[in-house]
Amino acid sequence: MSTSPCISYPRHLAIIMDGNGRWAKQRHMSRVLGHREGLKAVRKIVKKCGELGIEVLTLFAFSRENWRRPEEEVQSLMGLFANALKSEISKLNQNQVQLRVIGNLSRFSKSLRHAIEVAHDLTLNNKGLKLVIAVDYSGQWDIIQAVQTLIGQVKAGTLQTEAITQDLFATYLNLSDLPLPDLLIRTSGEYRISNFFLWQLAYTELYFTETLWPDFDEDALNKALLFYSKRERRFGCTSEQHAEINVEA
Ligand code: FPP
Protein backbone atom coordinates (compact mmCIF):
# COMPACT_ATOMS: atom_id res chain seq x y z
CA MET A 1 0.00 0.00 0.00
CA SER A 2 1.41 3.35 -0.99
CA THR A 3 -0.43 5.71 1.41
CA SER A 4 -1.35 6.24 5.06
CA PRO A 5 -0.23 3.36 7.28
CA CYS A 6 -3.12 4.25 9.62
CA ILE A 7 -5.83 3.40 7.10
CA SER A 8 -6.73 -0.13 6.16
CA TYR A 9 -7.95 -0.12 2.58
CA PRO A 10 -10.49 -2.54 1.12
CA ARG A 11 -8.96 -5.18 -1.13
CA HIS A 12 -12.11 -5.12 -3.24
CA LEU A 13 -14.15 -1.93 -3.60
CA ALA A 14 -17.49 -2.14 -5.41
CA ILE A 15 -19.47 0.92 -6.47
CA ILE A 16 -23.06 1.45 -7.59
CA MET A 17 -22.61 4.65 -9.59
CA ASP A 18 -25.93 6.46 -9.33
CA GLY A 19 -27.24 9.95 -9.93
CA ASN A 20 -26.00 10.89 -13.40
CA GLY A 21 -29.57 11.69 -14.50
CA ARG A 22 -30.33 13.88 -11.48
CA TRP A 23 -26.98 15.65 -11.82
CA ALA A 24 -27.91 16.56 -15.39
CA LYS A 25 -31.49 17.52 -14.52
CA GLN A 26 -30.28 19.94 -11.83
CA ARG A 27 -28.33 21.69 -14.60
CA HIS A 28 -31.11 21.50 -17.22
CA MET A 29 -28.90 19.22 -19.27
CA SER A 30 -29.76 15.96 -21.02
CA ARG A 31 -29.32 12.65 -19.18
CA VAL A 32 -26.75 11.70 -21.83
CA LEU A 33 -24.54 14.60 -20.72
CA GLY A 34 -24.94 13.37 -17.13
CA HIS A 35 -23.54 9.99 -18.17
CA ARG A 36 -20.61 11.71 -19.92
CA GLU A 37 -19.79 13.53 -16.69
CA GLY A 38 -20.17 10.19 -14.94
CA LEU A 39 -17.44 8.81 -17.17
CA LYS A 40 -15.11 11.62 -16.05
CA ALA A 41 -15.70 10.55 -12.43
CA VAL A 42 -14.94 6.95 -13.44
CA ARG A 43 -11.53 8.05 -14.78
CA LYS A 44 -10.66 9.89 -11.55
CA ILE A 45 -11.71 7.03 -9.28
CA VAL A 46 -9.93 4.35 -11.34
CA LYS A 47 -6.72 6.42 -11.21
CA LYS A 48 -6.99 6.97 -7.46
CA CYS A 49 -7.74 3.30 -6.69
CA GLY A 50 -4.69 2.29 -8.74
CA GLU A 51 -2.52 4.74 -6.80
CA LEU A 52 -3.83 3.47 -3.46
CA GLY A 53 -2.98 -0.10 -4.35
CA ILE A 54 -6.58 -1.30 -4.10
CA GLU A 55 -6.67 -4.75 -5.69
CA VAL A 56 -10.12 -4.83 -7.26
CA LEU A 57 -12.54 -2.07 -8.26
CA THR A 58 -15.93 -3.20 -9.54
CA LEU A 59 -18.20 -0.61 -11.12
CA PHE A 60 -21.89 -1.34 -11.71
CA ALA A 61 -22.29 0.42 -15.04
CA PHE A 62 -25.44 -1.09 -16.54
CA SER A 63 -27.99 -3.34 -14.87
CA ARG A 64 -30.32 -5.81 -16.55
CA GLU A 65 -33.14 -3.47 -15.56
CA ASN A 66 -31.45 -0.55 -17.38
CA TRP A 67 -32.58 -2.02 -20.72
CA ARG A 68 -36.02 -0.62 -19.80
CA ARG A 69 -34.75 2.95 -20.21
CA PRO A 70 -35.69 5.00 -23.30
CA GLU A 71 -34.03 3.54 -26.42
CA GLU A 72 -32.12 6.77 -27.03
CA GLU A 73 -30.52 6.64 -23.56
CA VAL A 74 -29.65 2.95 -23.87
CA GLN A 75 -28.02 3.58 -27.25
CA SER A 76 -26.04 6.52 -25.96
CA LEU A 77 -24.82 4.48 -22.98
CA MET A 78 -23.72 1.72 -25.38
CA GLY A 79 -21.90 4.33 -27.47
CA LEU A 80 -20.24 5.71 -24.35
CA PHE A 81 -18.99 2.25 -23.30
CA ALA A 82 -17.71 1.50 -26.81
CA ASN A 83 -15.91 4.85 -27.11
CA ALA A 84 -14.52 4.65 -23.59
CA LEU A 85 -13.14 1.17 -24.31
CA LYS A 86 -11.43 2.42 -27.47
CA SER A 87 -10.08 5.65 -26.04
CA GLU A 88 -9.01 4.46 -22.57
CA ILE A 89 -7.67 0.97 -23.14
CA SER A 90 -4.10 1.81 -24.08
CA LYS A 91 -3.71 4.13 -21.07
CA LEU A 92 -5.24 1.50 -18.78
CA ASN A 93 -2.84 -1.05 -20.23
CA GLN A 94 0.16 1.26 -19.70
CA ASN A 95 -0.92 1.64 -16.08
CA GLN A 96 -0.98 -2.15 -15.64
CA VAL A 97 -4.78 -2.23 -15.16
CA GLN A 98 -6.40 -5.59 -15.85
CA LEU A 99 -9.85 -5.05 -17.33
CA ARG A 100 -12.72 -7.48 -16.94
CA VAL A 101 -16.31 -7.09 -18.00
CA ILE A 102 -18.92 -9.24 -16.29
CA GLY A 103 -22.58 -9.80 -17.09
CA ASN A 104 -24.70 -11.37 -19.75
CA LEU A 105 -23.15 -9.84 -22.83
CA SER A 106 -25.45 -11.59 -25.33
CA ARG A 107 -27.62 -8.51 -25.89
CA PHE A 108 -24.64 -6.30 -26.70
CA SER A 109 -23.67 -5.62 -30.31
CA LYS A 110 -21.13 -7.91 -31.93
CA SER A 111 -18.64 -5.06 -32.28
CA LEU A 112 -18.94 -4.10 -28.60
CA ARG A 113 -18.44 -7.73 -27.56
CA HIS A 114 -15.40 -7.89 -29.81
CA ALA A 115 -13.94 -4.68 -28.30
CA ILE A 116 -14.48 -6.14 -24.80
CA GLU A 117 -12.68 -9.35 -25.80
CA VAL A 118 -9.75 -7.42 -27.28
CA ALA A 119 -9.44 -5.24 -24.14
CA HIS A 120 -9.64 -8.31 -21.93
CA ASP A 121 -6.95 -10.20 -23.85
CA LEU A 122 -4.66 -7.17 -24.02
CA THR A 123 -4.70 -6.57 -20.26
CA LEU A 124 -4.98 -10.17 -19.05
CA ASN A 125 -1.46 -10.40 -17.60
CA ASN A 126 -1.32 -6.92 -16.08
CA LYS A 127 -0.38 -6.83 -12.43
CA GLY A 128 -2.04 -3.60 -11.26
CA LEU A 129 -5.63 -2.76 -10.38
CA LYS A 130 -8.23 -5.27 -11.51
CA LEU A 131 -10.98 -3.10 -12.95
CA VAL A 132 -14.28 -4.94 -13.30
CA ILE A 133 -17.13 -3.35 -15.23
CA ALA A 134 -20.50 -4.98 -14.54
CA VAL A 135 -22.81 -4.58 -17.51
CA ASP A 136 -26.16 -6.29 -18.04
CA TYR A 137 -25.33 -7.83 -14.70
CA SER A 138 -27.68 -8.70 -11.86
CA GLY A 139 -27.03 -10.64 -8.70
CA GLN A 140 -30.07 -12.84 -9.34
CA TRP A 141 -28.83 -13.62 -12.86
CA ASP A 142 -25.41 -14.53 -11.45
CA ILE A 143 -26.96 -16.99 -8.98
CA ILE A 144 -29.22 -18.53 -11.63
CA GLN A 145 -26.36 -19.05 -14.10
CA ALA A 146 -24.41 -20.80 -11.33
CA VAL A 147 -27.41 -23.03 -10.54
CA GLN A 148 -27.84 -23.91 -14.23
CA THR A 149 -24.18 -24.92 -14.56
CA LEU A 150 -24.37 -27.00 -11.38
CA ILE A 151 -27.55 -28.77 -12.48
CA GLY A 152 -25.94 -29.52 -15.86
CA GLN A 153 -22.99 -31.15 -14.08
CA VAL A 154 -25.25 -33.15 -11.75
CA LYS A 155 -27.27 -34.37 -14.77
CA ALA A 156 -24.07 -35.31 -16.60
CA GLY A 157 -22.96 -37.27 -13.55
CA THR A 158 -19.81 -35.23 -13.02
CA LEU A 159 -21.06 -33.72 -9.73
CA GLN A 160 -22.84 -35.29 -6.78
CA THR A 161 -25.69 -33.25 -5.27
CA GLU A 162 -24.25 -33.88 -1.79
CA ALA A 163 -20.96 -32.27 -2.89
CA ILE A 164 -22.67 -28.88 -3.33
CA THR A 165 -21.53 -26.81 -0.38
CA GLN A 166 -21.55 -23.06 0.18
CA ASP A 167 -17.87 -22.89 -0.82
CA LEU A 168 -18.35 -24.96 -3.96
CA PHE A 169 -21.41 -22.95 -5.02
CA ALA A 170 -19.43 -19.71 -4.68
CA THR A 171 -16.91 -20.94 -7.23
CA TYR A 172 -19.60 -20.92 -9.94
CA LEU A 173 -20.35 -17.22 -9.48
CA ASN A 174 -18.73 -14.40 -11.44
CA LEU A 175 -15.41 -13.16 -9.96
CA SER A 176 -15.04 -16.26 -7.78
CA ASP A 177 -11.25 -16.04 -8.25
CA LEU A 178 -11.11 -12.58 -6.66
CA PRO A 179 -11.52 -11.45 -3.05
CA LEU A 180 -15.13 -10.70 -2.07
CA PRO A 181 -16.10 -7.01 -1.92
CA ASP A 182 -14.99 -5.46 1.39
CA LEU A 183 -16.74 -2.16 0.80
CA LEU A 184 -19.74 -1.20 -1.31
CA ILE A 185 -20.36 2.46 -2.07
CA ARG A 186 -23.67 3.68 -3.49
CA THR A 187 -23.95 7.30 -4.49
CA SER A 188 -26.96 9.64 -4.85
CA GLY A 189 -28.77 9.00 -1.58
CA GLU A 190 -30.44 5.73 -2.55
CA TYR A 191 -30.27 3.01 0.10
CA ARG A 192 -30.67 -0.10 -2.03
CA ILE A 193 -28.56 -2.89 -3.52
CA SER A 194 -30.64 -2.84 -6.74
CA ASN A 195 -29.89 -6.43 -7.71
CA PHE A 196 -26.12 -5.84 -7.84
CA PHE A 197 -23.92 -8.44 -6.08
CA LEU A 198 -26.19 -10.43 -3.74
CA TRP A 199 -24.31 -13.52 -2.61
CA GLN A 200 -20.99 -11.63 -2.68
CA LEU A 201 -22.16 -8.84 -0.32
CA ALA A 202 -22.88 -11.15 2.64
CA TYR A 203 -20.21 -9.53 4.84
CA THR A 204 -19.49 -6.36 2.88
CA GLU A 205 -19.46 -2.98 4.62
CA LEU A 206 -22.07 -0.68 3.07
CA TYR A 207 -21.50 3.04 2.55
CA PHE A 208 -24.18 5.35 1.20
CA THR A 209 -23.60 8.95 0.23
CA GLU A 210 -25.88 11.74 -1.01
CA THR A 211 -23.19 12.78 -3.53
CA LEU A 212 -24.32 12.29 -7.12
CA TRP A 213 -21.94 10.11 -9.14
CA PRO A 214 -20.53 12.87 -11.42
CA ASP A 215 -19.52 14.79 -8.26
CA PHE A 216 -17.88 11.74 -6.64
CA ASP A 217 -14.24 12.80 -6.54
CA GLU A 218 -11.08 11.94 -4.59
CA ASP A 219 -12.36 13.68 -1.44
CA ALA A 220 -15.60 11.73 -1.58
CA LEU A 221 -13.64 8.50 -2.04
CA ASN A 222 -11.37 9.36 0.89
CA LYS A 223 -14.42 9.85 3.13
CA ALA A 224 -15.74 6.43 2.17
CA LEU A 225 -12.33 4.83 2.76
CA LEU A 226 -12.04 6.49 6.15
CA PHE A 227 -15.50 5.14 7.07
CA TYR A 228 -14.31 1.67 6.02
CA SER A 229 -11.07 1.87 7.98
CA LYS A 230 -13.07 2.57 11.17
CA ARG A 231 -15.36 -0.42 10.81
CA GLU A 232 -14.76 -3.42 12.99
CA ARG A 233 -15.31 -6.40 10.72
CA ARG A 234 -16.26 -9.27 12.98
CA PHE A 235 -17.59 -11.87 10.51
CA GLY A 236 -19.98 -13.20 13.15
CA CYS A 237 -17.50 -13.14 16.10
CA THR A 238 -17.90 -11.03 19.24
CA SER A 239 -16.00 -7.76 19.68
CA GLU A 240 -13.73 -9.46 22.23
CA GLN A 241 -12.89 -12.35 19.90
CA HIS A 242 -12.27 -9.85 17.13
CA ALA A 243 -9.84 -7.86 19.30
CA GLU A 244 -8.00 -11.08 20.18
CA ILE A 245 -7.72 -12.07 16.51
CA ASN A 246 -6.36 -8.61 15.69
CA VAL A 247 -3.76 -8.83 18.46
CA GLU A 248 -2.66 -12.28 17.28
CA ALA A 249 -2.48 -11.24 13.62
C1 FPP B 1 -26.78 5.70 -12.95
O1 FPP B 1 -27.27 7.02 -12.99
C2 FPP B 1 -25.75 5.48 -13.96
C3 FPP B 1 -25.85 4.58 -15.00
C4 FPP B 1 -27.02 3.74 -15.22
C5 FPP B 1 -24.79 4.46 -16.01
C6 FPP B 1 -23.39 4.51 -15.48
C7 FPP B 1 -22.46 4.93 -16.58
C8 FPP B 1 -21.41 5.76 -16.43
C9 FPP B 1 -21.00 6.31 -15.12
C10 FPP B 1 -20.61 6.20 -17.58
C11 FPP B 1 -19.79 5.19 -18.28
C12 FPP B 1 -19.10 4.21 -17.43
C13 FPP B 1 -18.17 3.32 -17.88
C14 FPP B 1 -17.64 2.32 -16.93
C15 FPP B 1 -17.64 3.31 -19.27
P1 FPP B 1 -28.78 7.23 -13.33
O2 FPP B 1 -28.92 7.48 -14.78
O3 FPP B 1 -29.60 6.11 -12.81
O4 FPP B 1 -29.09 8.55 -12.52
P2 FPP B 1 -30.50 8.98 -11.88
O5 FPP B 1 -30.84 7.94 -10.86
O6 FPP B 1 -30.20 10.31 -11.27
O7 FPP B 1 -31.49 9.06 -12.99
Side-chain angles (χ1 to χ4, degrees), residues 22-60:
R22 274 162 285 167
W23 185 93
K25 197 171 175 192
Q26 285 171 3
R27 290 159 180 79
H28 309 287
M29 287 157 65
S30 71
R31 295 180 59 83
V32 173
L33 285 176
H35 294 313
R36 277 195 205 148
E37 285 299 312
L39 180 59
K40 290 185 192 165
V42 168
R43 283 196 198 101
K44 280 187 219 155
I45 297 306
V46 169
K47 184 166 177 274
K48 188 68 191 168
C49 287
E51 287 167 6
L52 291 175
I54 287 173
E55 243 174 274
V56 188
L57 171 65
T58 299
L59 300 174
F60 197 19

Side-chain angles (χ1 to χ4, degrees), residues 17-23 31 34-36 38-39 42 59-63 66 69 73 77 80-81 84-85 133 188 190 212-213:
M17 308 179 288
D18 197 8
N20 294 347
R22 274 162 285 167
W23 185 93
R31 295 180 59 83
H35 294 313
R36 277 195 205 148
L39 180 59
V42 168
L59 300 174
F60 197 19
F62 193 85
S63 70
N66 285 152
R69 292 192 174 197
E73 185 174 344
L77 273 169
L80 203 61
F81 296 145
L85 261 183
I133 310 290
S188 90
E190 305 291 353
L212 302 175
W213 177 250

Side-chain angles (χ1 to χ4, degrees), residues 64-241:
R64 289 178 74 73
E65 292 74 23
N66 285 152
W67 289 109
R68 297 183 194 139
R69 292 192 174 197
E71 176 67 16
E72 190 198 336
E73 185 174 344
V74 170
Q75 284 317 318
S76 83
L77 273 169
M78 294 299 142
L80 203 61
F81 296 145
N83 288 338
L85 261 183
K86 261 187 237 146
S87 63
E88 308 291 328
I89 195 63
S90 65
K91 197 161 165 214
L92 290 172
N93 191 36
Q94 270 167 24
N95 289 330
Q96 282 298 307
V97 173
Q98 186 190 111
L99 186 78
R100 294 198 199 180
V101 178
I102 57 164
N104 176 9
L105 302 183
S106 63
R107 284 166 81 178
F108 285 70
S109 70
K110 227 175 157 180
S111 65
L112 185 49
R113 273 183 281 153
H114 178 69
I116 289 171
E117 215 177 290
V118 170
H120 178 265
D121 292 351
L122 179 72
T123 62
L124 189 60
N125 296 317
N126 286 347
K127 300 284 178 262
L129 175 73
K130 292 180 177 67
L131 173 61
V132 182
I133 310 290
V135 286
D136 201 0
Y137 177 88
S138 87
Q140 289 169 344
W141 165 82
D142 200 359
I143 291 168
I144 293 294
Q145 66 78 30
V147 169
Q148 286 172 342
T149 311
L150 279 165
I151 290 178
Q153 294 183 355
V154 170
K155 271 190 183 162
T158 53
L159 180 69
Q160 297 298 308
T161 310
E162 305 71 46
I164 303 173
T165 59
Q166 214 168 287
D167 287 347
L168 182 89
F169 184 81
T171 64
Y172 287 76
L173 295 167
N174 277 260
L175 304 187
S176 62
D177 59 321
L178 299 181
L180 290 165
D182 301 294
L183 173 64
L184 171 80
I185 297 174
R186 180 170 189 154
T187 58
S188 90
E190 305 291 353
Y191 295 77
R192 292 187 293 273
I193 301 301
S194 294
N195 210 354
F196 186 30
F197 289 143
L198 295 178
W199 177 284
Q200 294 90 337
L201 292 183
Y203 287 100
T204 303
E205 298 294 333
L206 307 177
Y207 179 85
F208 299 97
T209 169
E210 297 290 319
T211 305
L212 302 175
W213 177 250
D215 291 329
F216 194 85
D217 55 12
E218 286 190 12
D219 284 349
L221 177 65
N222 283 337
K223 273 190 200 146
L225 294 175
L226 197 61
F227 158 89
Y228 173 79
S229 78
K230 289 181 177 159
R231 305 303 301 163
E232 181 190 341
R233 304 190 75 205
R234 299 202 302 267
F235 301 99
C237 299
T238 64
S239 270
E240 291 71 24
Q241 284 174 310

